Amino acid sequence: MNTFSPLQDRRTVRIPAGVVGCREAGAGIPVLFVHGIVANGLAWRHVARRLAGQARCIAPDWPLGSHHPAMPSADLSLPGLARIVVDVMDALGLGDAVLVGNGYGGDIAQVVAVQYPERARALVLAATNAFDSDPAPTRVLQRLTALPGAGALQAIGMRSRHMQRQWFTYGGVTKRPIPADVMTSYLTSLWSDRQVRDDFRRFLGQLSPRHLAEASPRLAAFDKPALVVWPTEERYFPAEGARRLTQTMPRARLVTVDDSYSWMPEDRPDLLADLLAEFLAELSPASP
């Protein structure tokens, strides 16, 4: 089976901030996936394979380090990225969608749900920051990428499979190695495009826990179905955030998952897809 199936076909959409790559599979209720940093829409390939018979699975390449082309004039703060999500929805003709965010993609999804609640039909957050959490590995990465020339050196270092599996890189977010061709798709832009490295540095430079310290409590007004999925072996994002998110959103439910780090679309895609399928089936056709 093609590793990238069913998301192997990529097209681009133009929005005010630039050009965004987008992959789709299936038909039905629109589900918009938001991946984490230094990943792209292929992170959802296994989930989309199982959900495509039930939903229109939309997996853009958000400007978080694995995107192309670069977006040198874009606002890559969390509020700016939330606007990019809405602009992509507009470009795809989506009035609303079920938002599914993983890792820092969940941070973005929270801001979308707070600032543009009419665009989120429902919300799924899988291992993400919440409230004022500020993972130590991200702080280290922020300091490293701020050094002159550090981005190019880090991109070169990440060519090593050994480096890719370290606790402070992909080995900290996935229990199992990511296929080599998928890793190449995640890292090629960082390896080859200085402007993409500049985008990633700008994103990290604007990343601050204050954004979710403001946004997460406001999810108390998000009176739509919500699902919080948390891996019991998560290393970066505090479990207390999952509990607080579930208590904050009026219609939220918490599910815990074993045998996975934070990137459940890579570690436990079948289980995550089953949870999403059940969640989508519960949504009324008349849901706002």
Side-chain angles (χ1 to χ4, degrees), residues 31-49:
V31 178
L32 186 66
F33 294 103
V34 192
H35 57 72
I37 61 175
V38 198
N40 58 35
L42 292 174
W44 303 99
R45 62 197 182 279
H46 297 306
V47 175
R49 184 177 298 134

PDB file of all heavy atoms in Angstrom, residues 31-49:
ATOM      1  N   VAL A  31     -14.216  17.333   8.150  1.00  0.00           N
ATOM      2  CA  VAL A  31     -13.327  17.238   9.303  1.00  0.00           C
ATOM      3  C   VAL A  31     -12.007  17.880   8.911  1.00  0.00           C
ATOM      4  O   VAL A  31     -11.348  17.424   7.969  1.00  0.00           O
ATOM      5  CB  VAL A  31     -13.112  15.778   9.735  1.00  0.00           C
ATOM      6  CG1 VAL A  31     -12.143  15.699  10.909  1.00  0.00           C
ATOM      7  CG2 VAL A  31     -14.443  15.124  10.104  1.00  0.00           C
ATOM      8  N   LEU A  32     -11.642  18.946   9.590  1.00  0.00           N
ATOM      9  CA  LEU A  32     -10.427  19.686   9.280  1.00  0.00           C
ATOM     10  C   LEU A  32      -9.364  19.356  10.324  1.00  0.00           C
ATOM     11  O   LEU A  32      -9.536  19.626  11.507  1.00  0.00           O
ATOM     12  CB  LEU A  32     -10.711  21.188   9.268  1.00  0.00           C
ATOM     13  CG  LEU A  32      -9.564  22.091   8.829  1.00  0.00           C
ATOM     14  CD1 LEU A  32      -9.223  21.860   7.360  1.00  0.00           C
ATOM     15  CD2 LEU A  32      -9.923  23.559   9.061  1.00  0.00           C
ATOM     16  N   PHE A  33      -8.264  18.757   9.868  1.00  0.00           N
ATOM     17  CA  PHE A  33      -7.200  18.311  10.762  1.00  0.00           C
ATOM     18  C   PHE A  33      -6.121  19.384  10.880  1.00  0.00           C
ATOM     19  O   PHE A  33      -5.724  20.000   9.883  1.00  0.00           O
ATOM     20  CB  PHE A  33      -6.576  17.025  10.233  1.00  0.00           C
ATOM     21  CG  PHE A  33      -7.507  15.839  10.245  1.00  0.00           C
ATOM     22  CD1 PHE A  33      -8.100  15.392   9.076  1.00  0.00           C
ATOM     23  CD2 PHE A  33      -7.790  15.173  11.424  1.00  0.00           C
ATOM     24  CE1 PHE A  33      -8.953  14.290   9.073  1.00  0.00           C
ATOM     25  CE2 PHE A  33      -8.636  14.081  11.439  1.00  0.00           C
ATOM     26  CZ  PHE A  33      -9.218  13.637  10.269  1.00  0.00           C
ATOM     27  N   VAL A  34      -5.617  19.565  12.099  1.00  0.00           N
ATOM     28  CA  VAL A  34      -4.551  20.529  12.362  1.00  0.00           C
ATOM     29  C   VAL A  34      -3.404  19.788  13.057  1.00  0.00           C
ATOM     30  O   VAL A  34      -3.530  19.385  14.216  1.00  0.00           O
ATOM     31  CB  VAL A  34      -5.039  21.711  13.225  1.00  0.00           C
ATOM     32  CG1 VAL A  34      -3.999  22.825  13.220  1.00  0.00           C
ATOM     33  CG2 VAL A  34      -6.387  22.239  12.740  1.00  0.00           C
ATOM     34  N   HIS A  35      -2.306  19.595  12.330  1.00  0.00           N
ATOM     35  CA  HIS A  35      -1.173  18.828  12.842  1.00  0.00           C
ATOM     36  C   HIS A  35      -0.285  19.687  13.744  1.00  0.00           C
ATOM     37  O   HIS A  35      -0.488  20.902  13.883  1.00  0.00           O
ATOM     38  CB  HIS A  35      -0.356  18.273  11.681  1.00  0.00           C
ATOM     39  CG  HIS A  35       0.147  19.332  10.731  1.00  0.00           C
ATOM     40  ND1 HIS A  35       1.158  20.209  11.051  1.00  0.00           N
ATOM     41  CD2 HIS A  35      -0.233  19.657   9.464  1.00  0.00           C
ATOM     42  CE1 HIS A  35       1.391  21.025  10.039  1.00  0.00           C
ATOM     43  NE2 HIS A  35       0.550  20.715   9.061  1.00  0.00           N
ATOM     44  N   GLY A  36       0.740  19.059  14.320  1.00  0.00           N
ATOM     45  CA  GLY A  36       1.696  19.749  15.174  1.00  0.00           C
ATOM     46  C   GLY A  36       2.891  20.282  14.399  1.00  0.00           C
ATOM     47  O   GLY A  36       2.898  20.324  13.164  1.00  0.00           O
ATOM     48  N   ILE A  37       3.931  20.676  15.136  1.00  0.00           N
ATOM     49  CA  ILE A  37       5.070  21.341  14.517  1.00  0.00           C
ATOM     50  C   ILE A  37       5.969  20.349  13.761  1.00  0.00           C
ATOM     51  O   ILE A  37       6.088  19.186  14.141  1.00  0.00           O
ATOM     52  CB  ILE A  37       5.895  22.138  15.546  1.00  0.00           C
ATOM     53  CG1 ILE A  37       6.459  21.237  16.647  1.00  0.00           C
ATOM     54  CG2 ILE A  37       5.036  23.230  16.165  1.00  0.00           C
ATOM     55  CD1 ILE A  37       7.381  21.977  17.612  1.00  0.00           C
ATOM     56  N   VAL A  38       6.573  20.846  12.716  1.00  0.00           N
ATOM     57  CA  VAL A  38       7.457  20.090  11.812  1.00  0.00           C
ATOM     58  C   VAL A  38       6.776  18.789  11.386  1.00  0.00           C
ATOM     59  O   VAL A  38       7.301  17.686  11.528  1.00  0.00           O
ATOM     60  CB  VAL A  38       8.849  19.847  12.427  1.00  0.00           C
ATOM     61  CG1 VAL A  38       9.833  19.466  11.313  1.00  0.00           C
ATOM     62  CG2 VAL A  38       9.378  21.078  13.149  1.00  0.00           C
ATOM     63  N   ALA A  39       5.575  18.947  10.885  1.00  0.00           N
ATOM     64  CA  ALA A  39       4.788  17.856  10.307  1.00  0.00           C
ATOM     65  C   ALA A  39       3.937  18.480   9.214  1.00  0.00           C
ATOM     66  O   ALA A  39       3.943  19.702   9.016  1.00  0.00           O
ATOM     67  CB  ALA A  39       3.928  17.165  11.362  1.00  0.00           C
ATOM     68  N   ASN A  40       3.209  17.641   8.497  1.00  0.00           N
ATOM     69  CA  ASN A  40       2.295  18.150   7.480  1.00  0.00           C
ATOM     70  C   ASN A  40       1.032  17.300   7.469  1.00  0.00           C
ATOM     71  O   ASN A  40       0.827  16.476   8.376  1.00  0.00           O
ATOM     72  CB  ASN A  40       2.974  18.211   6.104  1.00  0.00           C
ATOM     73  CG  ASN A  40       3.500  16.862   5.642  1.00  0.00           C
ATOM     74  OD1 ASN A  40       2.903  15.817   5.910  1.00  0.00           O
ATOM     75  ND2 ASN A  40       4.621  16.871   4.939  1.00  0.00           N
ATOM     76  N   GLY A  41       0.189  17.497   6.465  1.00  0.00           N
ATOM     77  CA  GLY A  41      -1.078  16.791   6.443  1.00  0.00           C
ATOM     78  C   GLY A  41      -0.959  15.283   6.412  1.00  0.00           C
ATOM     79  O   GLY A  41      -1.898  14.574   6.788  1.00  0.00           O
ATOM     80  N   LEU A  42       0.199  14.764   6.011  1.00  0.00           N
ATOM     81  CA  LEU A  42       0.391  13.315   5.986  1.00  0.00           C
ATOM     82  C   LEU A  42       0.368  12.697   7.375  1.00  0.00           C
ATOM     83  O   LEU A  42       0.238  11.477   7.513  1.00  0.00           O
ATOM     84  CB  LEU A  42       1.708  12.968   5.284  1.00  0.00           C
ATOM     85  CG  LEU A  42       1.746  13.255   3.783  1.00  0.00           C
ATOM     86  CD1 LEU A  42       3.143  13.021   3.231  1.00  0.00           C
ATOM     87  CD2 LEU A  42       0.728  12.391   3.042  1.00  0.00           C
ATOM     88  N   ALA A  43       0.487  13.511   8.403  1.00  0.00           N
ATOM     89  CA  ALA A  43       0.374  12.991   9.774  1.00  0.00           C
ATOM     90  C   ALA A  43      -0.957  12.279   9.986  1.00  0.00           C
ATOM     91  O   ALA A  43      -1.065  11.389  10.843  1.00  0.00           O
ATOM     92  CB  ALA A  43       0.526  14.127  10.777  1.00  0.00           C
ATOM     93  N   TRP A  44      -1.963  12.631   9.180  1.00  0.00           N
ATOM     94  CA  TRP A  44      -3.308  12.089   9.363  1.00  0.00           C
ATOM     95  C   TRP A  44      -3.634  10.974   8.367  1.00  0.00           C
ATOM     96  O   TRP A  44      -4.787  10.576   8.240  1.00  0.00           O
ATOM     97  CB  TRP A  44      -4.326  13.224   9.211  1.00  0.00           C
ATOM     98  CG  TRP A  44      -4.074  14.346  10.160  1.00  0.00           C
ATOM     99  CD1 TRP A  44      -3.437  15.524   9.887  1.00  0.00           C
ATOM    100  CD2 TRP A  44      -4.426  14.395  11.542  1.00  0.00           C
ATOM    101  NE1 TRP A  44      -3.374  16.296  11.023  1.00  0.00           N
ATOM    102  CE2 TRP A  44      -3.968  15.633  12.052  1.00  0.00           C
ATOM    103  CE3 TRP A  44      -5.087  13.507  12.399  1.00  0.00           C
ATOM    104  CZ2 TRP A  44      -4.157  16.013  13.376  1.00  0.00           C
ATOM    105  CZ3 TRP A  44      -5.279  13.877  13.724  1.00  0.00           C
ATOM    106  CH2 TRP A  44      -4.810  15.121  14.195  1.00  0.00           C
ATOM    107  N   ARG A  45      -2.624  10.448   7.660  1.00  0.00           N
ATOM    108  CA  ARG A  45      -2.871   9.505   6.574  1.00  0.00           C
ATOM    109  C   ARG A  45      -3.604   8.253   7.042  1.00  0.00           C
ATOM    110  O   ARG A  45      -4.528   7.774   6.367  1.00  0.00           O
ATOM    111  CB  ARG A  45      -1.540   9.128   5.896  1.00  0.00           C
ATOM    112  CG  ARG A  45      -0.558   8.425   6.818  1.00  0.00           C
ATOM    113  CD  ARG A  45       0.873   8.440   6.283  1.00  0.00           C
ATOM    114  NE  ARG A  45       1.770   7.710   7.194  1.00  0.00           N
ATOM    115  CZ  ARG A  45       2.274   8.232   8.306  1.00  0.00           C
ATOM    116  NH1 ARG A  45       1.986   9.478   8.657  1.00  0.00           N
ATOM    117  NH2 ARG A  45       3.069   7.496   9.075  1.00  0.00           N
ATOM    118  N   HIS A  46      -3.220   7.686   8.189  1.00  0.00           N
ATOM    119  CA  HIS A  46      -3.866   6.466   8.668  1.00  0.00           C
ATOM    120  C   HIS A  46      -5.285   6.753   9.166  1.00  0.00           C
ATOM    121  O   HIS A  46      -6.205   5.953   8.949  1.00  0.00           O
ATOM    122  CB  HIS A  46      -3.059   5.836   9.795  1.00  0.00           C
ATOM    123  CG  HIS A  46      -1.685   5.398   9.398  1.00  0.00           C
ATOM    124  ND1 HIS A  46      -1.454   4.558   8.344  1.00  0.00           N
ATOM    125  CD2 HIS A  46      -0.465   5.692   9.928  1.00  0.00           C
ATOM    126  CE1 HIS A  46      -0.154   4.336   8.232  1.00  0.00           C
ATOM    127  NE2 HIS A  46       0.471   5.023   9.183  1.00  0.00           N
ATOM    128  N   VAL A  47      -5.454   7.888   9.835  1.00  0.00           N
ATOM    129  CA  VAL A  47      -6.777   8.266  10.330  1.00  0.00           C
ATOM    130  C   VAL A  47      -7.720   8.494   9.159  1.00  0.00           C
ATOM    131  O   VAL A  47      -8.865   8.019   9.157  1.00  0.00           O
ATOM    132  CB  VAL A  47      -6.683   9.518  11.221  1.00  0.00           C
ATOM    133  CG1 VAL A  47      -8.069   9.986  11.643  1.00  0.00           C
ATOM    134  CG2 VAL A  47      -5.820   9.248  12.449  1.00  0.00           C
ATOM    135  N   ALA A  48      -7.242   9.205   8.136  1.00  0.00           N
ATOM    136  CA  ALA A  48      -8.081   9.484   6.966  1.00  0.00           C
ATOM    137  C   ALA A  48      -8.458   8.203   6.234  1.00  0.00           C
ATOM    138  O   ALA A  48      -9.566   8.086   5.695  1.00  0.00           O
ATOM    139  CB  ALA A  48      -7.352  10.435   6.022  1.00  0.00           C
ATOM    140  N   ARG A  49      -7.546   7.236   6.215  1.00  0.00           N
ATOM    141  CA  ARG A  49      -7.842   5.975   5.525  1.00  0.00           C
ATOM    142  C   ARG A  49      -9.069   5.302   6.127  1.00  0.00           C
ATOM    143  O   ARG A  49      -9.895   4.730   5.412  1.00  0.00           O
ATOM    144  CB  ARG A  49      -6.624   5.051   5.615  1.00  0.00           C
ATOM    145  CG  ARG A  49      -6.776   3.735   4.848  1.00  0.00           C
ATOM    146  CD  ARG A  49      -5.489   2.924   4.940  1.00  0.00           C
ATOM    147  NE  ARG A  49      -4.386   3.635   4.326  1.00  0.00           N
ATOM    148  CZ  ARG A  49      -3.175   3.765   4.869  1.00  0.00           C
ATOM    149  NH1 ARG A  49      -2.923   3.250   6.051  1.00  0.00           N
ATOM    150  NH2 ARG A  49      -2.232   4.410   4.230  1.00  0.00           N
TER     151      ARG A  49
END
